[in-house]
Amino acid sequence: MEFIDLKAQYQAARASIDARIHAVLEHGQYIMGPEVAELEGQLAARTGARHCITVASGTEALLIALMALGIGRGDEVITTPFSFIATAEAIVLLGATPVFADIDPATCNIDPACIEEKISSRTRAIMPVSLYGQCADMEGINAIASRHGLPVIEDAAQSFGATYQGKSSCNLSTIGCTSFFPSKPLGCYGDGGAVFTNDDHLAGAMREIRVHGQSRRYVHTRIGVGGRMDTLQCAVVLAKLERFDWELKQRQRVAASYDALLSGKLGLVARPRDRTNVFAQYTVVLEQRERIDAALRAAAIPTAVHYPVPMHLQPAYMRWSSPDAAPVALAMSGKVLSLPMGPYLSDADVFEVASTLLHTLGETVPARCELSAAAT
Ligand SMILES: *Cc1c(COP(=O)(O)O)cnc(C)c1O
């Protein structure tokens, strides 16, 4: 069993992926070839955002978004401490200060109630993360931001395809940033990402920053980066988009099967009714995480911890906040465990994972036939 089975996905989508890759090899426009604009058009249409600009990675997306907003030395950006390090990294790379607001223990996303007290005269942006494939409380966050005249950058690296109050992740705030890292719900075969906005001015700035701040060839209007997504990776995402809706349904199927077996027996990340989840991770909350993780691994079931150390306690990041800045994030970092997830995970595999987990917890394991009954 794989934690995320990318080989099965390739086998299923092979004809289309191979054809797309070969088309690029034949036309030879490896940088900014026609697939780049084609993908940007499709992603903009899917999210409803006016502009989509593909970039070299999810990390680059965050960096370019912050640069377009003019964030730099002396500025503060409020974000969650419970995320992949890239979220805070993009802030500090620009000389700005990450200010960590604690999370809601139910959803593991930034808690809007913790944001307001962190706002200072130096605050320049709020950067929530839509963790595990589920949007943060964007309504609450946007309301605070608009009271203080602040832009909001959604780190949607894990949530492309999710919806919030009927609107698409990536199109819920000033700028949305996503990633096409291979293991994300929509992935390529290397690094890739995209930024989204409805603001023409910010879109223009991000387009220039992506290519060395160039407004015309050899005219560098602003400081930029080498931040393009290459044509081959865009071609891979275009091929994978053909089955993305089906894959999201399969992720829901896997999650529903896990739910049927596990809910009531252990903690689950809460799923508010106003949002859909693309299950970048299916994460459970355990009081004895290390013991249970060891038992799963002994049974050859791959697991992952997202994330074992909150960012404010990472050695390189501790200088920006006190160690007790986010007690909820610290507590959750000791309890969360992500189970195998993906569109190609079979019901039998789900049953094996869940029954091993229940057995380790000392819970009764239902017969296989009861699962089928519960899932239908
Ligand atoms: C994966 C991820 C990133 C970084 O994306 P890359 O494409 O790997 O650079 C940023 N933020 C979050 C929350 C992520 O999960």
Side-chain angles (χ1 to χ4, degrees), residues 236 255 360:
V236 171
T360 311

Side-chain angles (χ1 to χ4, degrees), residues 282-322:
Y282 185 94
T283 302
V284 298
V285 182
L286 303 164
E287 293 304 326
Q288 295 184 292
R289 202 249 326 271
E290 300 314 320
R291 179 179 75 83
I292 291 154
D293 191 19
L296 289 174
R297 286 171 173 274
I301 292 168
T303 59
V305 174
H306 303 102
Y307 294 89
V309 180
M311 294 192 294
H312 69 295
L313 296 175
Q314 287 290 351
Y317 290 78
M318 288 184 70
R319 76 186 90 156
W320 286 290
S321 47
S322 86

Side-chain angles (χ1 to χ4, degrees), residues 55-62 80 82-89 127-132 155-159 177-184 188 190-194 280-281 306-307:
V55 296
S57 70
T59 307
E60 208 74 12
L62 298 170
T80 167
F82 201 55
S83 178
F84 181 59
I85 199 70
T87 313
E89 188 177 49
M127 197 150 88
V129 175
S130 294
L131 198 70
Y132 302 149
D155 180 344
Q158 301 180 10
S159 61
C177 297
T178 199
S179 163
F180 305 121
F181 186 80
S183 59
K184 309 286 181 182
C188 57
D191 279 308
Q281 311 297 342
H306 303 102
Y307 294 89

